[in-house]
């Protein structure tokens, strides 16, 4: 029989619903946490709910404390520590990075108004309402301008004036769009037909703008985040809306909705820990969220399907940015059991890894290192150096480890520790005899060659300084050659026990574009192909295992096509 147990949830009141904020073992701990949240002046109410698990496994919830407090209705700009690159044109202002910054700096307003940055920028009534809210916009513009000026090394006042000028242009453009009565309605046509009915002679950027105007007219009527998400999901699933520019427009607004502060929590539901939530968000960004314990119509499952089958790049970016910012924050990954903190970190690190590098790229790799720094006693440059080395050391697969370090090189932290990263990479790849760490013995040679070549290409295209990049690609080249030589890859591909046709085809497939980028490795395989081609009566020997003349002709035509693709003719 299961032993009865109880925990205490702290829930805070946001507008018209309760949101889980924390879970504790005792009522006293929960009360302290809840009252502290309430005393900040930004929360309207808090309550403590006792969650008791019965011996039969069922849960019984009982409200043991509830408290409300008057909240100031003044809407202030939220503090931010990051801003997008310099906004120089209106198109920059409509971009995903700018909209993400709007969601952060206008956090309180966005939550209260239930409005996305896209709606604000494309619906004049909503933009006017924002501009008339306290001193919100001037303060927000000032904060963004200060961060942009600091990063670019320019004058803060000049940057603020430039942003204010862009705000005037945005307002004028939205005002003109609001007077247009000729724009088709989505309700009457569907999204893709609406887009197709817009004037195709317009520049692509203007056509996209008008499509977002039409979309915003629908969205501003929905003052519920999940209703907006349902609406956008239905449009994305419509026949004809799941390709090219129309899907890209929907992707941008779905990203805006998910960038609102409370949406991810509402979407995922109650999570056992921050680590569990972050792992689920990483999986969601890849379209791999487990549907277990979720209903078929669950919104998270529906969004997961969209992300699995469609290129929603902006939505992925926003989800992973949320993970990144949480990792850089101070909230424990496993509040209820601090002893599990390192295990939770390891699981998140594992979830980020993939053949294209860590999900979220350099910024995610940097966030992981900074989170790990919290486990170390030392700080400063020595602490960061140690954290980089130990996080990389926690990645068991050598190729994933290289990709993690390559991603980290493309971050502010990576730029500051470029030498340390280069030394770690050389220690990992600099010994050709260690090629075994970079291959899987059970895989066919071609698969291993492709995997090593992919790593070589990722290194060649990385943000490493030129000297370090050249050294790393040379090291990877040596690993490739060592693998081909020591594992007798050419000999295995050219097994004398097989028909000549199969042997030659296997060798040619390795010579195909994209399989090998290493000049030395490619030359080793090409030499063996040339040896075969120079055999007397090669064509006859090539097809002698095929009894039918028509089959022989087809096989020879295919072989000569492969020769051409591989650059032999």
């Amino acid at each position: 029989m299961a032993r009865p147990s109880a925990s205490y949830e702290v829930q805070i009141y946001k507008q018209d619903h309760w949101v889980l904020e924390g879970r504790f073992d005792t009522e006293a701990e929960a009360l302290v946490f809840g009252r502290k949240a309430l005393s900040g002046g930004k929360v309207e109410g808090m309550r403590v709910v006792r969650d008791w698990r019965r011996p039969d496994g069922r849960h019984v919830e009982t409200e043991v404390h509830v408290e409300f407090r008057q909240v100031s209705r003044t809407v202030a700009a939220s503090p931010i520590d990051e801003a997008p690159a310099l906004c120089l044109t209106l198109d920059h202002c409509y971009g995903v990075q700018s909209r993400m910054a709007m969601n952060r700096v206008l956090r309180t307003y966005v939550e209260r108004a239930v409005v996305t940055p896209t709606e604000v920028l494309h619906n004049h009534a909503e933009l006017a309402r924002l501009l008339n809210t306290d001193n919100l916009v001037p303060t927000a513009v000032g904060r963004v301008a200060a961060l942009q000026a600091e990063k670019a090394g320019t004058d803060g006042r000049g940057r603020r004036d430039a942003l204010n000028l862009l705000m005037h242009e945005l307002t004028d453009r939205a005002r003109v769009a609001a007077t247009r009565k000729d724009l088709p309605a989505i309700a009457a046509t569907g999204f893709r037909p609406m887009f197709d009915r817009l004037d195709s002679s317009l520049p692509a950027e203007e056509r996209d703008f008008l499509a977002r105007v039409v979309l915003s007219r629908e969205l501003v009527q929905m003052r519920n985040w999940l209703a907006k998400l349902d609406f956008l999901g239905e449009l994305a699933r419509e026949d004809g809306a799941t390709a090219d520019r129309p899907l890209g427009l929907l992707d941008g607004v779905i990203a805006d909705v998910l960038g609102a502060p409370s949406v991810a929590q509402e979407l995922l539901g109650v999570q056992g820990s921050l680590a569990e939530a972050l792992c689920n968000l990483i999986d969601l960004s890849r379209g791999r969220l487990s549907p277990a314990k979720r209903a078929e119509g669950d919104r998270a499952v529906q969004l997961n399907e969209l992300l699995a089958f469609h290129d929603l790049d902006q939505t992925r970016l926003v989800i992973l940015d949320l993970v990144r910012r949480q990792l850089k924050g101070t909230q424990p990954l496993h509040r209820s059991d601090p002893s599990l903190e390192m295990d939770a970190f390891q699981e998140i690190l594992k979830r980020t890894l993939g053949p294209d590098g860590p999900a979220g790229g350099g910024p995610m790799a940097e966030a992981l290192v900074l989170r790990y720094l919290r486990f170390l006693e030392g700080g400063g440059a020595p602490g960061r150096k140690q954290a980089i080395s130990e996080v990389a050391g926690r990645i068991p697969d050598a190729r994933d480890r290289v990709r993690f370090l390559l991603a980290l090189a493309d971050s502010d932290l990576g730029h500051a520790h470029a030498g340390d990263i280069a030394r770690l990479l050389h220690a990992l790849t600099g010994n050709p005899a260690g090629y075994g760490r970079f291959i899987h013995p059970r895989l066919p040679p071609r698969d291993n060659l492709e995997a090593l070549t992919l790593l070589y290409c990722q290194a060649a295209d990385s943000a490493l300084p030129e000297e370090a990049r050249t050294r790393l690609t040379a090291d990877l080249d040596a690993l490739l050659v060592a693998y081909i030589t020591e594992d007798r890859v050419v000999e295995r591909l050219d097994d004398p026990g097989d028909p000549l046709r199969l042997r030659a085809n296997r060798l040619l497939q390795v010579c195909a574009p994209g399989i090998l980028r290493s000049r030395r490795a490619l030359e080793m395989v090409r030499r063996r192909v040339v040896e075969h081609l120079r055999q007397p009566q090669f064509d006859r020997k090539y097809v002698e295992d095929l009894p039918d003349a028509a089959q022989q002709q087809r096989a020879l035509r295919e072989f000569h096509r492969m020769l051409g693709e591989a650059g032999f003719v």
Side-chain angles (χ1 to χ4, degrees):
M1 180 180 292
R3 182 181 178 184
S5 60
S7 62
Y8 295 84
E9 295 182 355
V10 175
Q11 301 174 3
I12 61 173
Y13 190 76
K14 288 190 173 182
Q15 292 185 320
D16 59 353
H17 62 284
W18 293 97
V19 176
L20 176 65
E21 190 72 7
R23 184 181 284 111
F24 301 88
D25 292 331
T26 68
E27 182 178 347
E29 290 177 307
L31 281 171
V32 169
F33 181 84
R35 284 169 175 160
K36 184 177 179 180
L38 196 61
S39 66
K42 298 180 180 179
V43 175
E44 296 181 47
M46 77 86 177
R47 68 180 179 182
V48 176
V49 176
R50 181 175 182 263
D51 179 9
W52 179 59
R53 190 182 65 189
R54 292 170 31 144
D56 60 4
R58 294 174 58 191
H59 286 255
V60 177
E61 293 187 349
T62 306
E63 183 178 279
V64 296
H65 183 86
V66 62
E67 190 173 337
F68 283 90
R69 187 167 299 177
Q70 186 65 39
V71 176
S72 170
R73 304 313 295 178
T74 301
V75 182
S78 298
I80 55 173
D81 56 7
E82 299 173 339
L86 293 182
C87 299
L88 303 175
T89 67
L90 288 184
D91 284 340
H92 291 162
C93 297
Y94 297 127
V96 62
Q97 294 290 347
S98 293
R99 300 196 320 272
M100 288 166 65
M102 285 181 64
N103 256 334
R104 292 196 295 270
V105 75
L106 302 177
R107 177 187 178 98
T108 305
Y109 181 85
V110 163
E111 277 294 319
R112 289 189 182 180
V114 193
V115 63
T116 65
T118 293
E119 294 165 69
V120 169
L121 294 171
H122 296 81
N123 186 284
H124 183 255
E126 287 299 331
L127 181 54
R129 186 174 293 114
L130 171 65
L131 292 170
N132 291 327
T133 300
D134 303 326
N135 198 40
L136 181 57
V137 170
T139 305
V141 167
R143 290 184 177 177
V144 173
L147 289 170
Q148 289 185 336
E150 180 181 2
K151 189 166 186 177
T154 59
D155 173 57
R157 179 176 296 180
R159 183 90 284 269
R160 186 177 65 246
D161 292 343
L163 289 179
N164 282 325
L165 181 60
L166 285 172
M167 281 297 303
H168 288 304
E169 293 179 25
L170 287 167
T171 304
D172 289 343
R173 193 178 190 188
R175 181 185 297 110
V176 171
T179 65
R180 295 195 58 158
K181 307 298 183 186
D182 60 331
L183 298 180
I186 293 174
T189 64
F191 188 72
R192 180 58 184 257
M194 177 278 293
F195 184 83
D196 290 341
R197 285 178 59 182
L198 294 173
D199 189 350
S200 59
S201 67
L202 292 171
E205 294 77 8
E206 181 64 18
R207 197 178 184 192
D208 288 352
F209 171 79
L210 293 176
R212 292 193 297 265
V213 168
V214 174
L215 190 56
S216 297
R217 289 178 179 177
E218 300 284 344
L219 288 170
V220 295
Q221 301 176 49
M222 305 171 194
R223 297 296 172 172
N224 179 284
W225 291 120
L226 297 182
K228 293 178 193 283
L229 193 60
D230 289 344
F231 174 70
L232 293 166
E234 289 173 7
L235 295 183
R237 283 185 286 270
E238 282 182 359
D239 291 340
T242 54
D244 48 66
R245 300 188 79 91
L247 180 63
L249 298 173
L250 293 172
D251 175 27
V253 194
I254 294 172
D256 282 0
V257 172
L258 290 173
S262 64
V263 173
Q265 190 176 56
E266 290 190 53
L267 190 67
L268 293 178
V270 177
Q271 302 287 287
S273 65
L274 177 60
E276 181 184 353
L278 298 186
C279 286
N280 281 330
L281 286 172
I282 293 167
D283 290 347
L284 177 63
S285 74
R286 289 172 163 155
R288 300 177 187 170
L289 181 68
S290 172
K293 300 180 181 179
R294 293 184 178 275
E296 185 176 345
D298 187 286
R299 291 183 176 92
V301 173
Q302 293 175 349
L303 180 59
N304 186 67
E305 291 176 356
L306 285 176
L307 285 159
F309 297 108
H310 304 297
D311 294 327
L312 303 181
D313 293 337
Q314 294 184 49
T315 301
R316 286 191 178 90
L317 175 64
V318 166
I319 293 172
L320 292 172
D321 185 68
L322 174 58
V323 175
R324 178 190 67 87
R325 287 188 285 113
Q326 289 293 326
L327 282 172
K328 290 181 69 175
T330 59
Q331 185 176 348
L333 299 176
H334 212 291
R335 186 193 301 274
S336 62
D337 189 349
S339 68
L340 297 177
E341 195 75 8
M342 182 62 80
D343 291 341
F345 173 85
Q346 186 68 33
E347 182 60 28
I348 294 171
L349 174 63
K350 177 183 174 182
R351 294 291 183 96
T352 65
L353 302 175
D356 296 323
M364 184 70 79
E366 179 184 68
L368 285 162
V369 171
L370 294 177
R371 167 63 67 159
Y372 188 86
L373 193 58
R374 295 166 58 85
F375 296 112
L376 305 179
E377 293 183 3
R384 292 192 295 271
K385 177 180 177 181
Q386 181 184 353
I388 292 170
S389 176
E390 293 190 14
V391 171
R394 286 181 163 272
I395 301 173
D397 185 276
R399 291 178 300 191
D400 283 339
R401 198 180 307 177
V402 169
R403 283 188 278 258
F404 177 84
L405 291 169
L406 291 177
L408 183 61
D410 192 18
S411 68
D412 291 341
L413 178 64
H415 297 157
H417 289 267
D420 297 323
I421 292 173
R423 283 187 287 274
L424 287 171
L425 285 166
H426 181 62
L428 185 60
T429 63
N431 180 11
Y435 72 87
R437 292 183 295 173
F438 293 86
I439 65 165
H440 292 294
R442 296 181 181 178
L443 291 180
R446 173 175 169 161
D447 290 353
N448 280 319
L449 291 173
E450 281 187 314
L452 277 168
T453 297
L454 173 61
L455 196 61
Y456 179 97
C457 295
Q458 290 167 333
D461 298 335
S462 71
L464 285 171
E466 183 176 357
E467 182 180 350
R469 189 168 62 249
T470 301
R471 186 183 192 185
L472 178 59
T473 52
D475 288 343
L476 291 171
D477 193 9
L479 287 171
L480 262 170
V481 172
Y483 168 54
I484 291 173
T485 303
E486 298 299 325
D487 272 36
R488 300 179 60 81
V489 169
V490 174
E491 290 77 7
R492 290 161 61 193
L493 293 170
D494 194 20
D495 184 350
D498 292 333
L500 177 61
R501 180 173 54 85
L502 299 181
R503 295 158 60 189
N505 284 357
R506 284 197 295 259
L507 290 167
L508 267 185
Q509 288 169 355
V510 173
C511 295
I515 304 300
L516 285 175
R517 277 271 298 268
S518 162
R519 181 184 57 80
R520 289 191 295 159
L522 183 58
E523 186 58 33
M524 296 171 70
V525 183
R526 291 176 69 91
R527 277 200 303 267
R528 186 61 68 96
V529 174
V530 171
E531 289 176 9
H532 283 307
L533 292 174
R534 287 176 176 171
Q535 291 184 49
Q537 298 182 320
F538 171 81
D539 283 2
R540 182 184 61 79
K541 295 178 180 178
Y542 178 81
V543 296
E544 64 183 2
D545 66 311
L546 297 174
D548 182 75
Q551 287 181 312
Q552 293 176 353
Q553 289 300 315
R554 284 196 298 270
L556 282 170
R557 284 196 300 270
E558 177 64 15
F559 179 72
H560 285 283
R561 183 191 66 78
M562 294 168 63
L563 280 175
E565 286 186 351
F568 284 91
V569 293

